[in-house]
């Protein structure tokens, strides 16, 4: 059996970035050979000051799709409660056409309570949000694959709803679900996802993967067809001295020890980063989505593409 291709992608921070800077960043990612680029789905900054400019991700994706030609893209991950399910299905089908079939459909249960409150959204308990997520995914798949979608659930309903044109990708754009909840979230992944994203360590993945496999068996799904992806900060420097300087500055800013930061990200010189990634690939993780920092600073993005990508191609 042929080994799965290892994919590398970028989480593009949009807070404080202009459209022009984001377009240049996506074009650079395409030129450098990354597989996909991703946006978060927040209305203002979570880490950056909330007053910073922050473009809305779906309208932004539609525009950036026309600034690129081959790179895939998506939301990591979209907040289910911010848009009604049949609307998001229609939006996704439209963006898939706008991009000539390059959309990755990321969706999650939502978590940022302060943002919910600021924009007037109800913030139910996590169990309710997960049930809403599951119903939304069911509706989206119906909208994309049935002539007309009808569904009546506890939280949402559609009645003979049209979604034409259907997405270009068949049967629909790949579905990415993010999170690590073992009892419910991973069951939803087993049922609906083409890709699963989790930001954990190798040890945490080793705990979650058998649980996901058990959920797959329970719903009659092949565990191996679901892509397993890692998401987090990538701190890469050509020299060890420069790396330790940056780690020390980041640790001081966050009030953490440098070794704690190293455990929570992939960091090092190119050789160390390659070795760290291989620890994940050895347990079945085949997609790495990294945050490299500001969109107007491409040094780390270029260094990773030049020194790390060839080791896996």
């Amino acid at each position: 059996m042929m080994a799965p291709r290892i994919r590398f992608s970028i989480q593009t921070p949009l807070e404080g970035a202009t459209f022009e800077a984001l377009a240049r960043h996506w074009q650079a990612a395409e030129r450098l050979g990354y597989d996909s680029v991703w946006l978060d789905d927040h209305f203002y900054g979570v880490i950056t000051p909330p007053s910073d400019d922050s473009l809305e991700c779906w309208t932004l994706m539609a525009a950036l799709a026309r600034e690129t030609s081959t790179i895939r893209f998506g939301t990591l991950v979209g907040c289910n409660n911010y848009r009604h399910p049949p609307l998001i299905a229609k939006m996704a089908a439209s963006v898939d056409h706008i991009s000539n079939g390059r959309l990755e459909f990321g969706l999650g249960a939502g978590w940022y309570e302060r943002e919910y409150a600021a924009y007037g959204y109800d913030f139910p308990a996590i169990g309710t949000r997960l049930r809403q997520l599951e119903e939304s995914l069911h509706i989206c798949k119906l909208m994309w694959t049935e002539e007309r979608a009808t569904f009546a659930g506890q939280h949402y309903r559609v009645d003979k709803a049209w979604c034409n044109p259907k997405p270009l990708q068949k049967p629909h754009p790949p579905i990415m679900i993010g999170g690590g909840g073992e009892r419910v979230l991973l069951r939803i992944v087993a049922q609906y996802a083409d890709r699963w994203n989790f930001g954990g360590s190798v040890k945490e993945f080793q705990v979650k993967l058998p649980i996901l496999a058990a959920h797959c068996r329970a719903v009659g799904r092949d565990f191996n067809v679901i892509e397993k992806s890692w998401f987090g900060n990538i701190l890469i420097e050509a020299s060890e001295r420069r790396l330790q300087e940056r780690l020390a500055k980041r640790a001081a800013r966050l009030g953490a020890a440098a070794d704690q930061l190293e455990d929570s990200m992939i960091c090092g010189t190119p050789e160390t980063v390659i070795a760290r990634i291989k620890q994940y690939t050895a347990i079945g993780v085949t997609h790495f989505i990294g945050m490299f920092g500001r969109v107007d600073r491409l040094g780390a993005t270029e260094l990773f593409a030049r020194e790390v990508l060839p080791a896996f191609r």
Side-chain angles (χ1 to χ4, degrees), residues 4 175-177 186-197 209 212-213 215-217 219 221-229 284-286:
I175 294 172
M176 167 84 86
I177 299 176
L186 289 181
R187 177 185 58 77
I188 296 173
V189 170
Q191 186 75 46
Y192 292 95
D194 302 290
R195 319 205 191 289
W196 169 54
N197 184 258
L209 287 168
L212 176 58
H215 283 302
C216 287
R217 288 193 296 272
V219 301
R221 187 95 186 276
D222 183 354
F223 169 76
N224 295 309
V225 304
I226 300 173
E227 179 187 73
K228 292 81 177 176
S229 63
V285 179
T286 59

Side-chain angles (χ1 to χ4, degrees), residues 10-15 17-30 36-40 54-75 95-96 98-100 102-103 295:
I10 299 173
Q11 170 80 359
T12 309
L14 56 84
E15 295 86 351
T18 65
F19 174 77
E20 290 74 16
L22 288 161
R24 289 193 296 270
H25 187 84
W26 278 36
Q27 290 162 352
E30 186 172 80
S36 57
V37 280
W38 299 79
L39 301 174
D40 61 51
S54 187
L55 298 168
E56 192 279 325
C57 74
W58 273 94
T59 47
L60 178 60
M61 281 197 303
L64 290 172
R66 304 301 293 181
E67 299 288 327
T68 55
S69 58
T70 59
I71 198 163
R72 299 184 65 81
F73 61 87
T75 53
V95 172
D96 203 44
I98 289 168
S99 65
N100 196 29
R102 291 185 283 134
L103 175 67
V295 298

Side-chain angles (χ1 to χ4, degrees), residues 126-136 154-155 188:
I126 182 58
T128 299
R129 281 180 279 132
L130 286 168
R131 288 190 293 271
Q132 290 171 329
L133 172 64
E134 186 167 10
E135 288 190 12
S136 293
Q154 182 179 354
H155 301 284
I188 296 173

Side-chain angles (χ1 to χ4, degrees), residues 90 93-94 96-97 142-149 161-171:
K90 183 70 175 176
S94 298
D96 203 44
H97 276 267
L142 288 175
M143 295 279 288
W144 294 332
T145 59
E146 301 288 333
E147 182 180 13
R148 300 176 74 178
W162 295 96
C163 183
N164 289 335
K166 304 297 184 194
L168 281 179
Q169 299 180 84
K170 303 301 180 190

Side-chain angles (χ1 to χ4, degrees), residues 3-9 33 35 227 277 280-282 284-288 309 311-313:
R5 181 174 179 270
I6 308 302
R7 301 202 302 146
F8 293 95
S9 302
D35 291 280
E227 179 187 73
I277 290 171
Y280 282 93
T281 62
V285 179
T286 59
H287 188 183
F288 297 84
L309 293 191
F312 297 91
R313 298 282 165 86

Side-chain angles (χ1 to χ4, degrees), residues 225-302:
V225 304
I226 300 173
E227 179 187 73
K228 292 81 177 176
S229 63
W230 173 91
F231 162 70
N233 287 293
I234 295 179
L235 183 61
I236 184 170
E237 289 290 342
S239 74
E240 185 66 30
R241 179 188 62 79
R242 175 59 178 156
L243 176 71
Q244 293 304 320
E245 288 175 355
R246 290 193 61 195
L247 273 173
K249 287 181 180 179
R250 184 170 295 197
R253 186 173 70 249
L254 298 176
D259 57 350
Q260 291 177 314
L261 289 182
E262 290 185 70
D263 289 338
S264 66
M265 65 176 73
I266 290 177
C267 69
T269 60
E271 295 78 10
T272 305
V273 166
I274 290 169
R276 184 78 186 279
I277 290 171
K278 286 182 177 179
Q279 293 176 343
Y280 282 93
T281 62
I283 62 168
V285 179
T286 59
H287 188 183
F288 297 84
I289 305 173
M291 294 184 290
F292 290 97
R294 289 173 44 172
V295 298
D296 57 348
R297 296 178 181 174
L298 290 174
T301 306
E302 292 174 338

